[in-house]
Amino acid sequence: MNYKLLALDLDGTLTDSRKEVTPRTLVALLEAQQRGMRIVIASGRPPHGVAPVADLLQLDAYGGFALSFNGGEIRNWETREIVYRKTIDPAYLPYLYACAKSRRLAIGTFHHAFSITETPHDKYIRREAKISNLTVKEVSDFLSAIDFPVIKCMITGEPNELALLEKEMQGHLQSKLNVFRSEPYFLEIVAESVDKAKSLDILLNHLSLRRDELIAIGDGYNDASMIQFAGLGIAMANAQEEVRKQADRITLSNDEEGVAAIVEQLLDGTL
C-alpha cells in the first residue's frame, strides 16, 4: 500500500448513527493495520471519549494515535506518550464565558473523565457528555473551577444563534483562538492554529511521512481542513456540503459503512 497513515473522524464517519463501529468496519481496519497501515483517530472528542474506539481498533498493538480535541492533543496510543498538546491562554477564558452568559448559552470544558459546566441539564452539554462517555460535573462558578490547563471549551445552543456567535467571535478574536462548529449546535474553541490538518502535519513530521501517504476521511465542518490537506481526502455521503466540496472522493454514508468500503478498496488494490 502506498498510503501509510489513515486519519478517521469518529462521529458520523467511523461510527454509525448508533455510535458503533460495525463488525465489517472493524475487520477491515484490523486487516489494514496488520498490513502496515497506521491509524489515527482524529476527533473533537476528549481523550476519554476516544479511548473506547481506540482500544477496540487495537491501536496500542499497531502503533496508532489518538488526535483529540480537534487536534489540541496527539497521543501515541501504544505508549500513551503525548506527542503534541496546545492549550488555551487562560486570559481568554473570561471572554468566552461572557459570550455564553450574555446570550444564556451553555459553556463547558473537559478534564479527565468529566464535562465541567454550570448548566448540567443543558441538552447539548448532556449530548456531548454521552457521546464522549463523560460524567457531567456541575460547578457554581465556571471560571473559578478551572484550575487546570484547558485544551478546548464548548458553547452549545440552537444552530442559528451559534452561527451568529461564531462569526462575531471570529471577528473579535482575529485568529487569537480557533472558533468553529463541529456540529450546528456545538461551537468549539481551541488555541490558535489548532485544527486537524495542522496537527496531522505535526504527526506526519513526527513519523517522517509525507502528505501523499495520508488518507483522511470525515464528515463534519471540522474535518474539511484535514480532507483538503491529505494526499487523499474523502468525505462521507452524509457530510456537510461544504465538506464534500473539499474532498477528492465521496464514499458511502456512515450507516452504509463508508469507511469499510474505502478500506476494502485499499486492501484489494482498487483505490
Side-chain angles (χ1 to χ4, degrees):
M1 294 185 291
N2 293 326
Y3 296 107
K4 304 293 178 59
L5 189 67
L6 173 60
L8 297 169
D9 171 57
L10 259 182
D11 302 299
T13 300
L14 178 56
T15 61
D16 61 20
S17 57
R18 296 173 297 177
K19 304 296 182 184
E20 295 176 355
V21 178
T22 67
R24 174 190 172 194
T25 302
L26 177 59
V27 167
L29 290 172
L30 289 176
E31 183 175 347
Q33 291 179 101
Q34 290 161 7
R35 294 200 197 178
M37 173 72 74
R38 300 178 84 166
I39 292 175
V40 50
I41 296 176
S43 175
R45 293 189 193 184
H48 194 77
V50 173
V53 179
D55 291 340
L56 176 67
L57 298 184
Q58 301 179 33
L59 298 193
D60 56 340
Y62 294 106
F65 293 82
L67 185 157
S68 54
F69 293 123
N70 205 58
E73 180 182 293
I74 305 171
R75 190 170 298 202
N76 181 319
W77 209 248
E78 179 181 6
T79 65
R80 295 304 196 269
E81 170 198 5
I82 294 174
V83 176
Y84 172 76
R85 175 184 282 169
K86 191 164 186 179
T87 59
I88 295 173
D89 184 337
Y92 293 115
L93 295 177
Y95 167 74
L96 303 181
Y97 181 73
C99 284
K101 291 293 284 186
S102 65
R103 294 163 178 80
R104 297 183 179 179
L105 299 172
I107 184 170
T109 192
F110 310 92
H111 190 49
H112 299 309
F114 296 98
S115 172
I116 312 295
T117 184
E118 291 179 4
T119 53
H121 301 297
D122 177 80
K123 65 180 180 180
Y124 296 122
I125 290 287
R126 299 194 71 82
R127 181 178 298 180
E128 169 65 10
K130 183 178 181 180
I131 290 170
S132 296
N133 194 30
L134 300 173
T135 299
V136 179
K137 182 177 180 181
E138 182 178 8
V139 296
S140 58
D141 186 329
F142 181 74
L143 294 176
S144 296
I146 299 176
D147 58 358
F148 51 87
V150 171
I151 300 178
K152 182 177 81 170
C153 278
M154 177 180 285
I155 297 174
T156 67
E158 297 305 315
N160 290 342
E161 190 164 11
L162 283 190
L164 294 173
L165 179 58
E166 180 182 23
K167 291 181 180 179
E168 178 183 321
M169 292 177 70
Q170 287 173 343
H172 179 82
L173 292 166
Q174 296 182 344
S175 301
K176 294 173 184 175
L177 296 177
N178 190 6
V179 180
F180 60 92
R181 281 181 298 153
S182 57
E183 296 288 351
Y185 39 79
F186 290 156
L187 182 62
E188 305 197 9
I189 304 100
V190 293
E192 177 191 4
S193 79
V194 168
D195 76 359
K196 292 185 181 182
K198 291 174 182 175
S199 295
L200 284 171
D201 191 26
I202 290 168
L203 181 57
L204 287 173
N205 289 330
H206 176 75
L207 296 173
S208 298
L209 295 176
R210 305 183 308 272
R211 284 176 60 179
D212 61 8
E213 295 175 303
L214 169 67
I215 302 175
I217 311 178
D219 74 296
Y221 296 117
N222 59 330
D223 298 320
S225 66
M226 74 169 184
I227 288 172
Q228 187 177 41
F229 171 78
L232 179 60
I234 300 172
M236 306 296 290
N238 52 287
Q240 306 288 343
E241 177 60 27
E242 296 173 30
V243 180
R244 291 199 297 269
K245 290 178 180 178
Q246 305 301 323
D248 300 306
R249 296 191 182 199
I250 309 296
T251 187
L252 300 172
S253 75
N254 62 322
D255 282 329
E256 297 171 307
E257 301 177 303
V259 167
I262 289 294
V263 175
E264 287 165 358
Q265 290 176 45
L266 184 66
L267 292 171
D268 66 20
T270 60
L271 185 64

